[in-house]
Amino acid sequence: MPVNSSQRTALGRASAALALAVAVASLAAPAHSAERTGNDEGAGTEQTAGSDETGIHAAVRVEYSGSVAPNGGTGNVTSADVNWEPPPCWYAPYLGAKDFKKKMSADIEEAAGTATGTAGSAIGQTKQHYEDEFGWEDHPGYKDYNVDKDGEGMFWAGVENPNEPDILKRGSCSELPFWVDNGEAPPPQFEQAIDPEMLAALAYQHMELPDTEVTLAPDGTTKVNLPTWSWLDKADFHEVQATAAINAPGFALQATTTAKPVSLKLKPGTDDAETYPASGECTINADGSIGEPYAKGKADQTPPCGINYLRSSGNGTFDLQATITWDIAWTGTGGAGGDLPDGTFGTTQAVTVQEIQSINR
C-alpha cells in the first residue's frame, strides 16, 4: 500500500520519535572495552556485539585496534583541513529477521499503549510497514518482518557516533530500520550506510599518535644568541596505524588508516627568536629522521633545524611548541583506499634561556 509524501513525512517524524527511538536506542550508547596494545602507542578499543537480558543479539558495532585512544575516546590527531569531519552517524547491520521481529514488535506495542492522535497513527503505520507490506516510494514494506528470509540478511539501523558533539548531526541517521540481503549493498538512498571510507575516517578520529619529544642541544637550558639544535631520530619518528572494522553475518568491512610523519614545525614561544630554517618547518630527511644531531665542534655552525633565542627567559621559561605534520592515507576491504587530510599533533617543552655571563677585568 503506497503512501504520499505528506504521509511519509508524518510517519517519519512521529514513528522515528517513538518506535524507532525505542527500538534502536542501544545503538547510540555502545559499550566499550580497551586493552593495551603491544606497541604501547595506544589502546586497542573494541565496540563489540553482545546480547541483552532477553537473549536478542545486540547491535553489531565498530571494533578499533592498533594505535587508538583508550575506551573509545577521540584520538590526539588534529586535521589540517578544518572543513573535514568524521561521520556523525551511519547505518549498519542491526538484527536478523526473527530477532528484529521480537524486539521491534515489542517496542511498537509498548509505544502504541501511550501514543494518540498523529503519533498513534504513525505507530500503526510503522506496524503495518513491517507486518503488512505497507511501503512508500523506494521504501517497500515487509511481510511479517521478513522472517521467511531469516539468516539471508539483516535489518540495518542508524548508529550515532558517540564522539560527535553536535546532537543534530549525531541523530541525522533517522530512517526506519531497513532490510539488506547478505552480500548485497544497502539501497542507494541510504548514502550514510557504513563503508570502508567511513571506517577509515573513524579510525582517523580514534588514532593516537606518539607523544614525541624533540631532542635539543643544549638541552633544557640554552644561551642568548647561541643556536639550539633540534632533531628527531628515525627510531622515534615512525608511521602509525589504526584499524576500524565491522563484522556481521554475511557482512564484513575493515579499513586501516596510516599516518606517516613528514615535517616538524617549531614555534619558539617568543617573538624574540629566529628559527632554522626561517619558516620554522623542518622537513624529513631521506633516512626518515628530522634535523641533525649536535656534535662537538658544531657550536658555531647554523643547525639545519633549530632556534636562536635573542633574549633571556628571565626567571621563567619559553614554551617551545614542536608540531609534527603527518601524511594520512587509508586502505580497506576490496582494495579501496585513498588519502585523508594531513594530521597534526604537537607537544610543548619548557626551555630556559640565559644571558651569556662575561667578566670585566
Side-chain angles (χ1 to χ4, degrees), residues 11-297:
L11 172 61
R13 288 176 179 172
S15 62
L18 295 169
L20 177 59
V22 175
V24 299
S26 61
L27 286 168
H32 303 292
S33 62
E35 56 187 40
R36 300 298 294 180
T37 58
N39 59 16
D40 249 9
E41 288 176 353
T45 301
E46 292 189 352
Q47 297 176 345
T48 59
S51 299
D52 60 21
E53 63 275 10
T54 66
I56 296 177
H57 194 62
V60 177
R61 301 193 175 106
V62 178
E63 300 174 358
Y64 298 96
S65 60
S67 188
V68 294
N71 302 318
T74 302
N76 58 13
V77 190
T78 299
S79 171
D81 182 353
V82 296
N83 296 316
W84 180 88
E85 58 183 16
C89 66
W90 56 90
Y91 293 102
Y94 178 40
L95 293 172
K98 290 183 179 179
D99 287 341
F100 181 75
K101 176 182 179 179
K102 183 177 181 180
K103 183 160 182 61
M104 192 65 167
S105 60
D107 290 336
I108 288 175
E109 183 177 352
E110 180 181 352
T114 57
T116 59
T118 301
S121 176
I123 294 299
Q125 290 178 348
T126 301
K127 182 178 181 180
Q128 287 180 291
H129 177 63
Y130 290 111
E131 294 183 3
D132 301 322
E133 299 182 297
F134 178 84
W136 60 92
E137 296 176 2
D138 50 6
H139 288 64
Y142 305 97
K143 184 68 175 178
D144 192 25
Y145 295 88
N146 253 12
V147 293
D148 62 334
K149 297 184 69 175
D150 192 56
E152 299 176 19
M154 293 187 75
F155 277 98
W156 287 42
V159 183
E160 294 187 355
N161 185 340
N163 301 112
E164 169 57 55
D166 189 323
I167 189 172
L168 294 179
K169 291 181 179 180
R170 197 169 66 236
S172 61
C173 297
S174 56
E175 292 279 357
L176 288 168
F178 55 94
W179 178 265
V180 178
D181 287 329
N182 290 339
E184 297 295 324
Q189 64 267 34
F190 296 99
E191 297 178 353
Q192 292 165 288
I194 196 72
D195 61 20
E197 187 170 5
M198 294 174 71
L199 286 172
L202 290 170
Y204 188 141
Q205 184 183 31
H206 289 78
M207 178 177 282
E208 192 83 2
L209 296 176
D211 187 7
T212 305
E213 184 171 331
V214 178
T215 303
L216 302 175
D219 183 19
T221 300
T222 189
K223 305 294 184 181
V224 172
N225 289 320
L226 176 68
T228 299
W229 292 58
S230 305
W231 69 93
L232 283 166
D233 294 329
K234 179 181 178 181
D236 299 323
F237 196 55
H238 52 277
E239 72 176 39
V240 173
Q241 291 187 331
T243 296
I246 185 167
N247 292 282
F251 182 85
L253 290 178
Q254 70 86 29
T256 296
T257 297
T258 301
K260 297 182 179 179
V262 293
S263 66
L264 169 69
K265 178 80 172 182
L266 297 176
K267 290 187 177 181
T270 173
D271 292 334
D272 295 315
E274 300 172 339
T275 56
Y276 308 109
S279 65
E281 186 140 358
C282 308
T283 57
I284 192 167
N285 299 322
D287 66 354
S289 64
I290 280 188
E292 181 182 323
Y294 175 77
K296 187 176 181 180

